[in-house]
């Protein structure tokens, strides 16, 4: 019995999985544009030669039903609900685009006569324009600029829509002016109490925000000049004394708030890194263990004739021999000294040794270890400088 039920369920699931959604299914799900696209695609797949009256009747009925749905939505939508009205008209425009210039388009004269492309674009442009005017009354210049721009864009294939371009520009400029002024005033307020380089850099960023906000309309007051002034005041000047580690210093301190100068006199921070190596060779003797076989004891054994004989056995014995060895040891000492904004000194060591490698082989190993430590130290210094 259970087997029969299982087979029945599997058949049911198989039938459900193989069922293809029809345009009627999609329409019932309220996906109206998708239902039109699905039916249109099916008809187009048959080709014009196989297009028949049944296909035409189904398509006309579906388009009429969808058109009525959108008209009902428009009737129930408040005239000032611009967003909703625009969405409905855009769906009708999408229908128009999908069904235009097809071999079956002549069957949809009622729809095309009622909702031609030009009228739909005009309706959408009007609602965007009216929405922009409404945003202007609320002093929402950014939203107003976007609405007027959309009005211009949707009507662009036909012509210019009223003064939408000018109003889009004017409102965008008003919004940019507000943003620029807000950043400018923030910078001005911070600059009154700024004493640290970090604070100067923050002031510069606000002035740069003012510059960028107004960039499309020209210069905003003296924001660009002040941004450069405070950016320079926020820079930390570093001098690195020449050494083999200078490139590592520049790499670790490659920040937008740090610049390297050519003279220690001009520097806010001076960094000096020196290194010294010591190479030692030690000769020592070590005991090397060896193993050999030695006599252990006799054991009694009875041979084939029944005679008792004594057989010697062996055991392992460990003994040691002296081995002369040479141990090569390289010690690398690196001293880091800083003066100025940060007073700091540190000494780092890297020691490598080998019974086989010489000075030239050990030095690169020690340097790699030392550079890893040095870069970590310099990165922590860069982090500390960012807060000064």
């Amino acid at each position: 019995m259970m087997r029969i039920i299982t087979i029945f369920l599997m058949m049911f699931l198989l039938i459900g999985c193989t069922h293809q959604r029809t345009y009627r299914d999609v329409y019932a799900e309220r996906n109206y544009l998708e239902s039109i696209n699905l039916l249109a695609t099916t008809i187009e797949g048959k080709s014009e030669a196989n297009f028949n009256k049944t296909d035409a009747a189904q398509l006309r009925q579906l388009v009429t039903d969808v058109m009525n749905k959108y008209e009902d939505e428009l009737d129930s939508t408040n005239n000032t609900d611009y967003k909703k009205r625009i969405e409905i008209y855009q769906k009708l425009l999408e229908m128009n685009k999908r069904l235009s210039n097809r071999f079956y388009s002549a069957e949809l004269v009622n729809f095309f006569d009622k909702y031609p492309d030009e009228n739909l674009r005009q309706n959408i442009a009007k609602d965007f324009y009216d929405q922009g005017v409404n945003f202007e009354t609320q002093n929402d210049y950014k939203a107003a600029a976007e609405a007027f721009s959309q009005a211009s864009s949707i009507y662009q294939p036909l012509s210019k829509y009223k003064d939408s371009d000018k109003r889009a520009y004017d409102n965008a400029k008003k919004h940019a002016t507000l943003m620029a002024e807000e950043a400018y005033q923030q910078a001005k307020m911070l600059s009154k109490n700024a004493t640290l380089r970090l604070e100067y850099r923050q002031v510069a960023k606000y002035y740069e925000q003012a510059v960028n906000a107004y960039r499309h309309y020209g210069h905003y007051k003296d924001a660009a000049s002040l941004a450069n002034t405070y950016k320079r005041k926020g820079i930390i000047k570093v001098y690195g004394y020449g050494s083999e580690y200078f490139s590592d210093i520049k790499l670790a301190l490659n920040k937008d708030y740090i610049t390297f100068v050519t003279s220690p006199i001009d520097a806010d921070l001076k960094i000096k890194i020196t290194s010294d190596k010591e190479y030692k060779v030690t000769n020592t003797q070590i005991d090397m263990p060896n193993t050999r076989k030695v006599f252990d004891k006799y054991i009694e054994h009875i041979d084939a004739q029944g005679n008792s004989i004594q057989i010697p056995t062996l055991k392992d014995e460990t003994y040691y021999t002296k081995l002369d060895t040479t141990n090569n040891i390289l010690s690398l000492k690196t001293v880091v000294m800083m003066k100025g904004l940060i007073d700091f000194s540190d000494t780092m060591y890297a020691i490598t040794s080998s019974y086989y490698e010489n000075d030239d082989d050990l030095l690169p190993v020690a340097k790699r270890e030392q550079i890893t430590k040095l870069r970590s130290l310099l990165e922590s210094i860069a982090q500390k400088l960012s807060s000064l």
Side-chain angles (χ1 to χ4, degrees), residues 95-268:
M95 277 179 62
N96 183 293
K97 291 178 181 178
R98 178 64 182 87
L99 300 172
S100 295
N101 301 316
R102 310 287 176 169
F103 61 79
Y104 49 76
S105 297
E107 301 291 336
L108 306 173
V109 174
N110 183 46
F111 170 73
F112 289 121
D113 285 347
K114 195 169 187 180
Y115 294 108
D117 179 272
E118 181 178 349
N119 288 6
L120 289 170
R121 289 183 182 277
Q122 188 168 12
N123 288 337
I124 296 170
K126 179 182 182 304
D127 280 332
F128 269 127
Y129 190 93
D130 291 345
Q131 185 184 47
V133 172
N134 183 58
F135 282 135
E136 282 182 330
T137 63
Q138 302 171 29
N139 295 327
D140 189 344
Y141 302 120
K142 182 180 180 181
E146 177 63 23
F148 286 123
S149 178
Q150 291 283 5
S152 174
S153 177
I154 195 68
Y155 204 70
Q156 187 272 332
L158 304 175
S159 181
K160 290 185 177 295
Y161 189 78
K162 297 183 178 180
D163 59 345
S164 56
D165 287 335
K166 181 181 184 304
R167 296 184 81 154
Y169 177 88
D170 291 344
N171 279 280
K173 186 175 181 180
K174 287 179 181 179
H175 174 69
T177 303
L178 288 176
M179 294 299 100
E181 182 62 18
E182 182 180 347
Y184 189 93
Q185 292 301 326
Q186 186 71 24
K188 193 174 180 180
M189 181 182 68
L190 285 176
S191 67
K192 292 178 181 179
N193 300 314
T195 56
L196 301 176
R197 287 172 175 80
L198 169 63
E199 294 168 339
Y200 292 141
R201 294 196 296 272
Q202 290 173 337
V203 171
K205 284 182 179 179
Y206 277 113
Y207 278 126
E208 286 173 350
Q209 285 181 19
V211 170
N212 292 330
Y214 204 75
R215 186 176 301 279
H216 294 299
Y217 310 99
H219 297 289
Y220 190 75
K221 297 183 177 179
D222 55 349
S225 174
L226 290 172
N228 290 330
T229 298
Y230 281 96
K231 190 173 183 179
R232 285 194 299 270
K233 292 179 73 173
I235 289 293
I236 295 173
K237 291 173 284 187
V238 174
Y239 178 79
Y241 290 91
S243 75
E244 60 183 307
Y245 296 109
F246 184 65
S247 61
D248 296 290
I249 297 174
K250 294 196 72 172
L251 181 64
L253 301 185
N254 183 24
K255 310 295 181 183
D256 60 1
Y257 54 88
I258 293 175
T259 187
F260 284 85
V261 293
T262 58
S263 170
I265 298 174
D266 302 322
D268 301 309

Side-chain angles (χ1 to χ4, degrees), residues 284-323:
T284 58
Q285 283 189 331
I286 59 175
D287 292 327
M288 296 293 294
N290 298 278
T291 303
R292 60 190 173 190
K293 298 290 186 180
V294 297
F295 172 75
D296 184 19
K297 62 183 177 181
Y298 288 101
I299 60 173
E300 185 178 2
H301 178 71
I302 306 300
D303 63 13
Q305 289 74 38
N307 300 316
S308 176
I309 58 175
Q310 297 293 316
I311 298 176
T313 61
L314 302 177
K315 65 179 180 180
D316 290 333
E317 180 183 71
T318 301
Y319 69 98
Y320 295 88
T321 57
K322 297 293 185 181
L323 178 65

